[in-house]
Amino acid sequence: MWLINSSIGRKVVMSVTGIALILFLTFHGCMNLVALFSEEGYNMICEFLGANWYAVVATLGLAALAVIHIVFAFILTAQNRKARGDNRYEVATTTNPGIVEWFSQNMLVLGLIILIGLLVHLQNFWYNMMFAEIFGMYTKHDPADGFAWIVETFSHWPLVVLYLVWFAAIWFHLAHGFWSAMHTLGLSGKVWQKRWNCIGLIYVSLLMLGFAVVVLAFAFKCAPSLC
């Protein structure tokens, strides 16, 4: 199958799964912003997305997308390193040269930060909420009380710092991945290349800023616990 066996096919898979994950992050970010305005409204969303069958199926689908994206990222990275040899860090200077070069040279570090941040996030929220509800585990707060888990998590300054570093790593990844996906899918020409660069930077910046605002808002709200 060309999507798996060819280099172009693998890049298409990476692009499609990447866009799907960006859409999920957009939904997740909008959901988080609700917590800034309404505890009741946020918990209603958490209850709707609890251990219901559709939420579980969606979670499994999301996990599959993430695993496929990560696996193909490793395959393409190894392929590119083998093809470029000592010149593997040479990148095109016509598209976001600074971002692309920095990302390329620090891909492993960024990848590890993103993976560690994801594992911490899953432990703090998914494990204590959906997983706990499915298996009837005892937890400090009600598994459906997402607001309480946000307050609990961001009352600890090491986690606040870790989340902010995680968001920064994701920003670099998305800033590179957004325009790259559009280019791979044939949506970027001479005219639209720079436009997608600009649109991508604005979009991912606003997206990650939204996540950071929620973390900082609850961190300062719980400021006495941070001292």
Side-chain angles (χ1 to χ4, degrees):
M1 187 176 180
W2 76 274
L3 284 175
I4 298 176
N5 297 326
S6 71
S7 177
I8 295 178
R10 296 187 190 110
K11 290 180 180 179
V12 169
V13 172
M14 277 284 292
S15 299
V16 173
T17 55
I19 291 174
L21 292 172
I22 290 176
L23 291 175
F24 166 74
L25 285 176
T26 302
F27 165 77
H28 196 347
C30 293
M31 171 183 167
N32 287 356
L33 290 175
V34 174
L36 295 178
F37 305 100
S38 173
E39 176 180 350
E40 181 180 353
Y42 182 76
N43 282 340
M44 285 178 62
I45 299 175
C46 291
E47 185 175 359
F48 177 75
L49 297 175
N52 304 296
W53 68 268
Y54 48 83
V56 173
V57 170
T59 300
L60 292 175
L62 179 64
L65 285 173
V67 170
I68 292 172
H69 191 78
I70 292 171
V71 169
F72 274 74
F74 275 109
I75 293 175
L76 286 170
T77 300
Q79 177 182 304
N80 290 339
R81 283 175 176 267
K82 183 178 180 180
R84 294 181 180 178
D86 295 334
N87 297 322
R88 63 180 179 270
Y89 292 141
E90 290 185 3
V91 295
T93 58
T94 58
T95 54
N96 282 339
I99 293 175
V100 175
E101 184 176 4
W102 194 93
F103 177 84
S104 298
Q105 294 183 9
N106 296 276
M107 185 179 295
L108 180 59
V109 174
L110 287 173
L112 289 175
I113 293 174
I114 292 173
L115 180 59
I116 292 172
L118 177 61
L119 293 175
V120 171
H121 183 64
L122 290 175
Q123 193 279 327
N124 286 327
F125 292 96
W126 179 80
Y127 177 79
N128 288 314
M129 296 175 70
M130 179 181 285
F131 187 86
E133 186 175 350
I134 291 174
F135 292 97
M137 295 170 50
Y138 173 78
T139 55
K140 184 175 181 179
H141 305 291
D142 187 330
D145 192 353
F147 192 88
W149 286 112
I150 290 181
V151 173
E152 170 75 20
T153 300
F154 301 128
S155 64
H156 305 289
W157 69 265
L159 287 176
V160 172
V161 174
L162 177 60
Y163 268 83
L164 294 177
V165 173
W166 184 38
F167 296 155
I170 295 175
W171 182 90
F172 275 105
H173 184 75
L174 296 184
H176 166 78
F178 189 94
W179 68 263
S180 179
M182 295 304 168
H183 179 74
T184 298
L185 296 176
L187 300 175
S188 177
K190 291 183 178 180
V191 176
W192 272 94
Q193 180 171 292
K194 291 184 178 180
R195 293 178 180 178
W196 280 125
N197 291 342
C198 182
I199 292 172
L201 285 175
I202 293 174
Y203 188 87
V204 301
S205 296
L206 291 176
L207 179 60
M208 301 320 299
L209 179 62
F211 280 101
V213 164
V214 173
V215 171
L216 291 173
F218 279 90
F220 283 110
K221 183 177 181 181
C222 305
S225 302
L226 293 174
C227 300

